[in-house]
């Protein structure tokens, strides 16, 4: 299971969705940014995922081990 967190900064609203929240080992998750307020940069954190961090707007992440993971986005 994935748990999602959005972080607010400077009048913008961090918001995102994943194309799935339950994945098998080595499963890929596509994250899509739905943040508002003139966002110009993204700082994603995917502990346990590959990559572990990203500055892409809509990153693709692989989870190689079964477990529960937190995901955060700061915009």
């Amino acid at each position: 299971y994935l748990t999602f967190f959005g972080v607010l900064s400077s009048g913008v609203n961090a918001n995102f969705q994943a194309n799935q929240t339950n994945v098998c080992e080595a499963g890929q998750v596509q994250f899509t940014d739905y943040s508002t307020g003139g966002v110009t940069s993204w700082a994603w954190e995917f502990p346990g995922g590959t990559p572990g961090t990203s500055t892409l707007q809509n990153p693709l992440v692989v989870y190689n081990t079964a477990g529960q993971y937190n995901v955060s986005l700061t915009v």
Side-chain angles (χ1 to χ4, degrees):
Y1 298 97
L2 302 173
T3 304
F4 307 116
F5 298 98
V7 179
L8 302 177
S9 66
S10 304
V12 297
N13 183 22
N15 189 18
F16 63 93
Q17 288 186 336
N19 67 332
Q20 57 184 333
T21 57
N22 294 311
V23 294
C24 297
E25 290 184 3
Q28 295 182 336
V29 179
Q30 179 68 59
F31 290 91
T32 303
D33 170 58
Y34 289 105
S35 301
T36 59
V39 177
T40 58
S41 64
W42 300 265
W44 296 88
E45 294 182 20
F46 309 104
T50 302
T53 63
S54 178
T55 57
L56 297 175
Q57 183 176 7
N58 299 306
L60 180 68
V61 179
V62 175
Y63 291 92
N64 289 310
T65 305
Q68 191 168 9
Y69 300 98
N70 293 325
V71 175
S72 66
L73 170 61
T74 302
V75 295

